[in-house]
Amino acid sequence: MRLTRVHVDAGLHAGGELALPETSAAHLTRVLRLQIGDSCVVFDGRGHEASAQIVAIDKRGARVQVGEVRTPANESPLRITLLQGVARGEKMDLILQKGAELGVTAFVPVFSDRSEVKLEGARATKRLEHWRGVVVSACEQSGRAWVPEVQPPVALASALTTLTPATRLLLDPIASMNCRTALAADQRDIVLAVGPEGGWSPQDRSLLEAQGFLGVRLGPRVLRTETAGLAAIAAMQALHGDFD
């Protein structure tokens, strides 16, 4: 039986004890009704995981004893950063969830000329916390021990100044190149730019192209923002990643 996986923001040491996060403890003990002596898997989000046994349950939560620590080899050889125009509500959640499952290394949410979502102050902080929770849950489900970074949302121009060297691809339904022609087999660091619901404006495109982004298309149809990036990531994983 597949054990429930729980993310813990702490180092893992064989034989040590850890307090589980409150929500995770509640899920294990109240929803799944696990008892003292039952097992789960804990992972630290930095590449390590371990089997663990519940050793204490009380009103405040649950504690586990950590077993042998291991480093699962299930990360893609491609290091994909998804530069994503912020989408509305559940669309953004879907992008983050499925992107994490598909192996994205980092998410860079951006506001662009045609963004339909505005986030500032406490609302932006709350939404970022929610997005990071979505990504953690996706890693718990998919078996990843690395939790992808989700950066705070910023203007497109600001985000472009922080990018590290990589192959830079811009999804464009009228581009002449596709993923196969744009991505060489030895290219491992990739930044993929996907526009919001309204797409990239001419000004956005100029900014992206000035930073070395090359346009690529995904067949003859125009895809929604919540579909386009995920389709491109799956294509890249099939071409040069770990979809074998």
Side-chain angles (χ1 to χ4, degrees):
M1 183 178 67
R2 189 170 185 268
L3 297 177
T4 301
R5 303 179 76 252
V6 177
H7 174 247
V8 292
D9 189 16
L12 301 180
H13 306 282
E17 289 190 12
L18 288 174
L20 295 180
E22 183 178 347
T23 54
S24 298
H27 178 71
L28 291 180
T29 61
R30 299 176 190 172
V31 178
L32 300 181
R33 299 192 180 281
L34 297 188
Q35 304 292 325
I36 291 174
D38 288 335
S39 298
C40 64
V41 173
V42 293
F43 67 101
D44 62 4
R46 295 178 289 277
H48 308 102
E49 69 175 22
S51 298
Q53 186 177 62
I54 298 174
V55 294
I57 300 174
D58 56 34
K59 293 181 179 179
R60 294 173 295 179
R63 295 185 64 82
V64 297
Q65 184 174 51
V66 179
E68 182 179 357
V69 179
R70 54 188 179 267
T71 304
N74 61 2
E75 289 297 310
S76 172
L78 301 181
R79 294 174 291 273
I80 302 172
T81 295
L82 179 59
L83 189 148
Q84 172 69 49
V86 176
R88 288 176 291 179
E90 293 183 356
K91 292 182 181 181
M92 193 67 181
D93 288 1
L94 178 70
I95 293 165
L96 294 164
Q97 180 190 68
K98 302 308 178 186
E101 291 178 16
L102 288 168
V104 168
T105 303
F107 297 92
V108 182
V110 296
F111 301 116
S112 58
D113 285 347
R114 295 176 178 170
S115 294
E116 300 178 9
V117 178
K118 304 297 181 184
L119 297 172
E120 295 179 348
R123 185 164 177 251
T125 300
K126 184 176 181 180
R127 187 65 61 86
L128 177 61
E129 182 180 353
H130 169 74
W131 289 341
R132 287 173 172 168
V134 169
V135 168
V136 166
S137 295
C139 292
E140 289 177 338
Q141 181 275 325
S142 64
R144 292 186 69 177
W146 280 100
V147 173
E149 177 187 10
V150 184
Q151 296 184 12
V154 295
L156 174 62
S158 296
L160 293 178
T161 66
T162 65
L163 297 177
T164 56
T167 300
R168 299 180 176 186
L169 304 179
L170 161 65
L171 289 191
D172 183 351
I174 62 172
S176 59
M177 292 191 298
N178 58 29
C179 288
R180 181 177 287 106
T181 56
L183 191 62
D186 61 347
Q187 292 170 325
R188 290 290 177 257
D189 293 289
I190 302 160
V191 180
L192 177 67
V194 182
E197 285 94 341
W200 298 119
S201 71
Q203 292 81 4
D204 295 331
R205 289 175 183 274
S206 295
L207 283 173
L208 289 159
E209 290 169 358
Q211 292 295 323
F213 280 82
L214 301 175
V216 294
R217 59 180 173 81
L218 294 171
R221 293 169 294 281
V222 177
L223 304 181
R224 292 179 180 271
T225 185
E226 67 270 28
T227 308
L230 301 178
I233 293 162
M236 289 188 289
Q237 294 285 28
L239 285 169
H240 302 305
D242 55 8
F243 283 16
D244 54 13

